[in-house]
Amino acid sequence: MPSFLAIVVALLFVYCSSLVYRLLVNLFDARKSGLPYIIIPWDQDNFFWLVFSVPLRPWLKRNLPKWAYDRLSLTIYGVEFHERLRPFEQYAAPQGNDKSYAIVTVGAFEVTTRDPEIVAEVLRRPRDFMQLELAGLFMGKFGPNVLTSNGDSWARQRKVVAGVINERISKTVFSESIHQTEGLLDEVVGDGNAAETDRIFDMMRRITINVLSGAGMGVSVAWNDNANEKPSPGSKMTYIEAIKHIIRAVAGPLILPQWFLANYPIYLPGYKTLNSLSYAMLEFPIHTRSMLNEERQRIASTHGETRSNILSQMLHASEPGDGELKGFKALSEEEMVGNLWIFTAAGFDTTTNTLAYALLLLSRYPKWQEWVFEEIDSIMPMNSPAGLDYASIFPQAIRVQALLLEVLRLFTPTIHIPKQTKAPQKIQTSRGLFYIPRNCTIYLNTIGLHMDPAVWRNLNLAENEEKSETDELEFRPTRWLVNPPAESLQIFKPPKGAYVPWSAGPRVCPGQKMAQVEFTAIFLKLFHKHRIEAVPLRTATGELETRTEVESRLDARMRDSISMLTLQMNDIYDVEEGKDKGLKLRLSKRN
């Protein structure tokens, strides 16, 4: 009989041998790929590493030798934002290609690229480069949808969903956004000339979820409507409350089974959060199906008349043999619930955080507020009537849209677009032919794409702007205006694959226009008669911060970001007035 020690040694030998084997297989694939590669003898897919590496990042950076951290950091989630172009410059460029690299580990074979040609090709071929199966654990929780599906199922759903997001929806999003922003201004400033608040970012969250409720589900919510806070009989929470709980948990606890959440011990940390999430996960699909049934009955009673919201339009589009979709299979009930969930979750998180970065950037760079004011005053004079018409106003707001594009360039909500291969693939570019093995995860590095000096440096400089060797790292919305302008201002169109905040190709985000309309409407209303600025804090000596100190603090705030579902700043949400947490901003009336 072998001794216990011999068994342990044998098992360790087998385990270590399997790691070496996987490393050698990945090394073989890396050499065959034609891409630069970096050997990191580490398992980036280890569960504990996935959970703890992100919070440990600052400690690792302080305590590991630089050479060790530089390599290990490439296996930590969020490397794109925290390391920017360093891995490409440090490891890929010396191997003759500063646009892409593979990491050779004992885990899965992974490729990271910021090559616009590769990005465009990957996004052009959704059947070869598919959505990650892991995405389904988080975003497919309530049913199949356009984000998590692949192949024929995705194509069918996409055909239906793409037809739903039309100008009727855009008009509703515009009016809802104006209405909600009016509520924010009334609460913060009211009849006064100026007011300070720590909760402007929470209010942006509130605007976004209310707009999605109105434009998405047809449930209009007044800014201070307490009636909507009461659950319907038999429910623990309202639809809006359920959405809020689920979205806050989408990057973590959402993958936990409902039975675990429901039976989580009351004496353990996190009980309140997980218990609320348990009810939210049960009640969100119930609320959604209830609204679908109510809308079906309303449509039937009005002889097929639909309303200008996504739920109503989706029900109409899902009818088999209807209009342009004749011959296409209708969405199932489960697919409708799944896609309504995706519209809400993706739309809420991306828009909220983009608004937050935009407000902070305008507070940091007041000259760009003045630049935006010029446009707003030209299309919406101070004495203009309160009503704003989407069809006439939105196309004129070119500078506001350029502002949005620049915010998304520097703070892209999705720091990478992950794809996976089920079979070996080839990609031909001007740099050569590259081989991608089966079961490879390829990360399209949006941060790297959007900071490529070859594309963005000194692009479309205005007459009074000078060239800079770091221009691509700076916030400059004028780079989006074609220079010199034609009869009317034109938005710059980047090279294919160079700018992908909404992805690109057949799987481009169907909610792109909705996001643009909502952002534009909120900023038109917010800055029509107001400006925003950061409130200086008192230093240790009791004196107020200088402007330079305020700017440094705002820069540090934006750097202190983490990628959850999307990229977001730390400690700006769920803030109580007067607490240390948060960031105090001042809204004041313009002269």
Side-chain angles (χ1 to χ4, degrees):
M1 293 277 303
S3 67
F4 175 76
L5 179 60
I7 293 174
V8 171
V9 170
L11 290 174
L12 284 174
F13 176 78
V14 171
Y15 175 70
C16 292
S17 297
S18 69
L19 296 181
V20 172
Y21 174 76
R22 282 153 60 187
L23 185 71
L24 292 175
V25 169
N26 287 341
L27 180 60
F28 174 82
D29 286 336
R31 288 177 172 172
K32 184 180 178 181
S33 72
L35 296 167
Y37 59 88
I38 308 155
I39 298 176
I40 309 171
W42 195 256
D43 184 1
Q44 79 276 22
D45 302 317
N46 180 276
F47 174 79
F48 293 101
W49 183 247
L50 290 172
V51 172
F52 296 110
S53 59
V54 172
L56 282 175
R57 190 196 316 265
W59 185 90
L60 293 170
K61 189 171 185 177
R62 287 194 308 269
N63 293 279
L64 287 181
K66 185 177 183 305
W67 65 266
Y69 175 78
D70 284 351
R71 287 177 178 259
L72 199 59
S73 65
L74 305 190
T75 68
I76 302 177
Y77 184 80
V79 59
E80 296 88 352
F81 179 78
H82 292 279
E83 302 299 328
R84 307 297 174 100
L85 300 185
R86 179 192 62 81
F88 298 96
E89 295 168 348
Q90 183 175 352
Y91 297 116
Q95 299 181 55
N97 180 349
D98 66 348
K99 300 291 187 183
S100 308
Y101 63 83
I103 59 170
V104 177
T105 69
V106 299
F109 185 75
E110 295 180 358
V111 170
T112 296
T113 184
R114 63 182 186 98
D115 186 331
E117 291 184 76
I118 294 180
V119 169
E121 186 67 8
V122 168
L123 295 178
R124 187 184 68 83
R125 295 158 53 184
R127 292 180 182 270
D128 295 334
F129 298 94
M130 306 170 72
Q131 294 294 89
L132 286 187
E133 294 173 353
L134 183 63
L137 288 175
F138 295 93
M139 306 309 292
K141 198 74 176 178
F142 300 103
N145 55 71
V146 291
L147 183 65
T148 60
S149 299
N150 286 297
D152 293 338
S153 174
W154 165 78
R156 174 175 50 79
Q157 292 182 61
R158 171 73 185 189
K159 184 72 175 179
V160 176
V161 169
V164 166
I165 310 299
N166 52 37
E167 284 300 284
R168 289 181 65 181
I169 299 299
S170 294
K171 185 176 181 180
T172 302
V173 169
F174 189 86
S175 61
E176 285 280 354
S177 300
I178 295 291
H179 173 64
Q180 294 297 327
T181 309
E182 287 172 346
L184 179 150
L185 290 170
D186 287 342
E187 179 175 328
V188 177
V189 182
D191 296 327
N193 292 321
E196 300 174 359
T197 179
D198 293 326
R199 301 190 61 252
I200 193 73
F201 304 110
D202 281 324
M203 293 180 185
M204 286 294 143
R205 265 183 162 182
R206 190 165 156 193
I207 287 177
T208 305
I209 196 68
N210 287 355
V211 168
L212 283 167
S213 177
M217 311 299 285
V219 182
S220 293
V221 182
W223 184 257
N224 289 315
D225 189 356
N226 292 325
N228 284 282
E229 298 299 320
K230 298 177 182 178
S232 57
S235 298
K236 289 280 188 179
M237 55 183 64
T238 65
Y239 167 76
I240 295 293
E241 289 173 327
I243 282 289
K244 288 179 180 178
H245 283 296
I246 293 170
I247 287 174
R248 289 172 185 174
V250 76
L254 188 63
I255 65 171
L256 296 172
Q258 202 280 330
W259 63 263
F260 176 84
L261 297 171
N263 293 283
Y264 188 78
I266 192 171
Y267 51 82
L268 291 181
Y271 166 78
K272 186 176 180 181
T273 298
L274 296 183
N275 184 255
S276 296
L277 178 60
S278 170
Y279 285 114
M281 289 175 63
L282 277 176
E283 296 191 0
F284 167 76
I286 294 174
H287 285 306
T288 304
R289 288 187 171 90
S290 174
M291 286 186 282
L292 282 168
N293 289 331
E294 290 174 6
E295 187 64 17
R296 281 194 187 96
Q297 294 171 10
R298 195 203 61 79
I299 291 174
S301 66
T302 56
H303 306 289
E305 180 184 339
T306 60
R307 295 187 296 166
S308 298
N309 61 69
I310 292 173
L311 181 143
S312 183
Q313 294 291 304
M314 186 176 291
L315 271 174
H316 177 68
S318 296
E319 291 298 322
D322 196 321
E324 295 180 2
L325 301 169
K326 188 173 182 179
F328 284 86
K329 183 181 177 183
L331 295 181
S332 68
E333 184 90 356
E334 188 181 26
E335 287 169 340
M336 278 192 279
V337 173
N339 280 292
L340 288 168
W341 152 245
I342 284 299
F343 273 120
T344 304
F348 172 81
D349 216 54
T350 55
T351 305
T352 298
N353 291 316
T354 300
L355 288 165
Y357 283 113
L359 290 175
L360 216 58
L361 284 164
L362 289 179
S363 301
R364 168 65 174 84
Y365 301 100
K367 72 174 184 177
W368 294 114
Q369 281 194 68
E370 301 298 329
W371 181 75
V372 170
F373 293 161
E374 290 177 6
E375 176 177 81
I376 294 177
D377 292 344
S378 70
I379 61 178
M380 298 166 51
M382 283 286 192
N383 58 356
S384 63
L388 299 175
D389 179 63
Y390 161 72
S392 61
I393 294 292
F394 177 74
Q396 298 183 65
I398 302 299
R399 289 189 178 184
V400 177
Q401 293 175 52
L403 169 69
L404 167 62
L405 295 173
E406 183 70 349
V407 173
L408 290 171
R409 187 184 70 84
L410 291 176
F411 296 98
T412 313
T414 49
I415 59 175
H416 61 234
I417 302 172
K419 300 292 181 180
Q420 66 181 6
T421 58
K422 293 296 186 181
Q425 303 295 336
K426 296 179 182 179
I427 299 177
Q428 180 70 57
T429 74
S430 60
R431 291 174 177 265
L433 180 65
F434 301 108
Y435 296 86
I436 308 298
R438 65 186 293 271
N439 296 328
C440 168
T441 301
I442 180 167
Y443 292 103
L444 311 181
N445 187 326
T446 55
I447 301 292
L449 283 168
H450 298 172
M451 293 188 174
D452 188 346
V455 176
W456 304 105
R457 182 173 293 174
N458 301 317
L459 176 68
N460 295 327
L461 290 170
E463 290 183 7
N464 59 340
E465 294 175 334
E466 298 180 355
K467 291 185 177 181
S468 167
E469 290 301 306
T470 59
D471 176 67
E472 71 276 8
L473 305 179
E474 297 171 6
F475 178 65
R476 183 172 64 81
T478 50
R479 78 178 75 245
W480 288 97
L481 302 182
V482 175
N483 187 33
E487 294 181 3
S488 59
L489 288 176
Q490 299 292 323
I491 293 290
F492 169 71
K493 293 184 179 180
K496 188 179 293 186
Y499 184 72
V500 290
W502 290 286
S503 189
R507 296 196 75 132
V508 67
C509 174
Q512 176 178 342
K513 180 68 176 290
M514 280 181 60
Q516 291 171 311
V517 170
E518 183 174 357
F519 182 96
T520 301
I522 291 171
F523 271 53
L524 286 175
K525 186 61 186 179
L526 190 64
F527 294 114
H528 182 205
K529 297 180 180 179
H530 296 82
R531 68 174 67 246
I532 197 165
E533 59 186 322
V535 177
L537 302 178
R538 293 204 175 272
T539 64
T541 62
E543 299 179 352
L544 287 177
E545 291 175 311
T546 64
R547 180 60 199 175
T548 300
E549 289 171 330
V550 170
E551 291 174 354
S552 297
R553 176 164 58 87
L554 296 183
D555 287 338
R557 244 332 155 88
M558 288 184 281
R559 286 194 303 270
D560 184 22
S561 297
I562 185 171
S563 181
M564 303 291 284
L565 178 58
T566 60
L567 188 67
Q568 65 181 58
M569 286 177 277
N570 284 311
D571 296 332
I572 64 168
Y573 299 118
D574 301 318
V575 171
E576 297 179 27
E577 290 284 3
K579 300 294 183 181
D580 292 336
K581 200 178 176 185
L583 183 66
K584 183 167 285 189
L585 298 179
R586 178 185 295 117
L587 274 173
S588 56
K589 288 188 176 179
R590 296 201 278 131
N591 297 326

